């Protein structure tokens, strides 16, 4: 039997609700930053001095751009879970791996490509890890306090 009055239950649920930030506040800034990185990955071919003969790296970046941009737009419009953060983390790791094992020739122009892929991949990994940490912290704040005895 529950010995708590309805007023005390409402007060404890309000306290829990105050600790959890709304999804728009929690997810918005990270999603916008992910969207910006996704757009950058698409535009970098025209901004950076990519050689005309090297299209392979840009295909990798366009693929990453499409995945990250769609994920960021979905995160802005729907509540997110761990899967979106994990997807962005994997895309970031893929960009870093492509920079080192993509088979690009060793010229100054491809050094710019590698540096861009490492920087963009690192930014995506950092944003994904921040999202995972924030989600875990919000999940733990939303759980009822386990120190209170039941009943």
């Amino acid at each position: 039997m529950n010995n708590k009055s309805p007023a005390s239950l409402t007060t404890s649920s309000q306290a829990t609700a105050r600790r959890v930030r709304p999804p728009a506040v929690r997810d918005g800034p990270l999603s916008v930053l992910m969207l910006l990185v996704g757009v950058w990955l698409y535009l970098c071919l025209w901004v950076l001095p990519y050689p005309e003969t090297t299209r392979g790296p840009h295909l990798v970046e366009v693929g990453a751009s499409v995945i990250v941009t769609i994920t960021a737009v979905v995160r802005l419009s729907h509540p997110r879970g761990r899967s979106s953060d994990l997807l962005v983390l994997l895309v970031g790791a893929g960009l870093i791996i492509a920079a080192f094992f993509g088979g690009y020739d060793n010229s100054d122009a491809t050094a710019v490509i590698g540096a861009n892929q490492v920087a963009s991949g690192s930014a995506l990994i950092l944003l994904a890890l921040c999202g995972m940490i924030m989600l875990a912290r919000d999940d733990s704040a939303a759980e009822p306090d386990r120190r209170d005895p039941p009943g």
Side-chain angles (χ1 to χ4, degrees):
M1 181 123 179
N2 191 353
N3 292 337
K4 292 185 176 183
S5 69
S8 67
L9 289 175
T10 303
T11 306
S12 69
S13 66
Q14 288 172 346
T16 301
R18 273 187 249 128
R19 285 187 275 164
V20 178
R21 288 174 285 160
V25 172
R26 178 183 68 222
D27 301 338
L30 285 177
S31 299
V32 168
L33 290 173
M34 284 180 191
L35 183 63
L36 290 175
V37 172
V39 170
W40 166 252
L41 285 169
Y42 183 75
L43 296 177
C44 65
L45 173 68
W46 295 283
V47 176
L48 298 176
Y50 277 33
E52 288 296 320
T53 58
T54 309
R55 292 289 179 205
H58 189 60
L59 291 177
V60 170
E61 292 164 350
V62 167
S65 171
V66 168
I67 294 169
V68 171
T69 302
I70 290 172
T71 303
V73 169
V74 169
R75 285 171 55 109
L76 284 170
S77 60
H78 292 37
R80 67 170 175 83
R82 294 194 200 301
S83 58
S84 66
D85 291 325
L86 185 60
L87 180 63
V88 171
L89 181 92
L90 291 174
V91 169
L95 281 171
I96 293 172
I97 290 169
F100 291 107
F101 301 110
Y104 314 140
D105 59 347
N106 292 328
S107 67
D108 290 338
T110 55
V112 170
I113 294 169
N116 179 50
Q117 288 181 344
V118 169
S120 299
S122 299
L124 289 174
I125 290 172
L126 180 67
L127 290 170
L129 290 175
C130 287
M132 288 178 179
I133 290 169
M134 289 171 61
L135 185 62
R137 188 178 66 194
D138 288 346
D139 285 348
S140 67
E143 291 178 3
D145 194 1
R146 297 183 189 262
R147 292 174 291 187
D148 290 340

